[in-house]
């Protein structure tokens, strides 16, 4: 392996150095049985029980709610604000708990959180909020 690295460095100079490094690292790790190590501070912060991050709410307008045969909400369509660096876009979310939508009418401005569960975007919380006026700061 050392001869190959020397040959690459002599042949390609700096360009060969990157290739030589890419070839040499797996061989060194495999020989030593070593694995990359996380920074020392990362493990200690996780072990100390750091507080979970606060949920991030996204603003949207409730466009429509799709009901199943029993009258329970199964899907909800939300028109997201362009603050997410996307143009106005309507996304569909599965509703895990139909009680989340109790008292929220179509056309209402809402703040919501969602997670990717079982391969689908699933609404985890939703609440009514004031309309966000154009060119004015929203909370």
């Amino acid at each position: 392996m050392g001869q190959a690295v020397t040959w690459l460095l002599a042949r390609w100079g700096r360009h060969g150095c990157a290739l030589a490094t890419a070839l040499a690292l797996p061989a060194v790790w495999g020989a030593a049985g070593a694995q990359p190590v996380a920074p020392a501070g990362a493990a200690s912060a996780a072990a100390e029980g750091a507080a979970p991050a606060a949920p991030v709410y996204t603003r949207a307008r409730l466009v429509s709610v799709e009901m199943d045969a029993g009258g329970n909400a199964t899907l909800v369509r939300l028109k997201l604000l362009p603050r997410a660096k996307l143009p106005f876009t309507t996304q569909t979310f599965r509703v895990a708990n139909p009680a989340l939508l109790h008292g929220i009418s179509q056309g209402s401005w809402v703040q919501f959180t969602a997670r990717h569960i079982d391969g689908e975007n699933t609404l985890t919380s939703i609440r009514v909020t004031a309309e966000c006026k154009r060119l004015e700061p929203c909370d």
Side-chain angles (χ1 to χ4, degrees):
M1 180 60 123
Q3 292 173 349
V5 170
T6 306
W7 180 81
L8 281 172
L9 288 173
R11 173 94 177 168
W12 288 330
R14 288 187 311 162
H15 301 292
C17 186
L19 182 59
T21 304
L23 292 174
L25 284 178
V28 170
W29 283 345
Q35 295 294 324
V37 179
S44 63
E48 291 176 12
V56 176
Y57 286 92
T58 304
R59 287 182 167 267
R61 187 172 53 83
L62 183 65
V63 175
S64 66
V65 177
E66 188 175 308
M67 304 283 192
D68 64 1
N72 293 323
T74 58
L75 296 174
V76 64
R77 288 182 181 79
L78 298 171
K79 187 171 188 176
L80 304 179
L81 287 178
R83 301 176 86 207
K85 296 185 181 179
L86 298 170
F88 274 106
T89 182
T90 302
Q91 291 188 346
T92 303
F93 295 88
R94 178 152 311 282
V95 179
N97 182 3
L100 290 173
L101 298 174
H102 182 71
I104 301 176
S105 60
Q106 292 183 12
S108 298
W109 286 91
V110 296
Q111 288 182 325
F112 72 96
T113 59
R115 294 189 60 194
H116 196 74
I117 301 173
D118 295 330
E120 295 185 10
N121 293 330
T122 305
L123 196 67
T124 55
S125 69
I126 189 168
R127 63 184 183 199
V128 177
T129 188
E131 180 179 353
C132 188
K133 301 290 185 187
R134 185 176 174 151
L135 303 175
E136 292 182 15
C138 298
D139 53 6

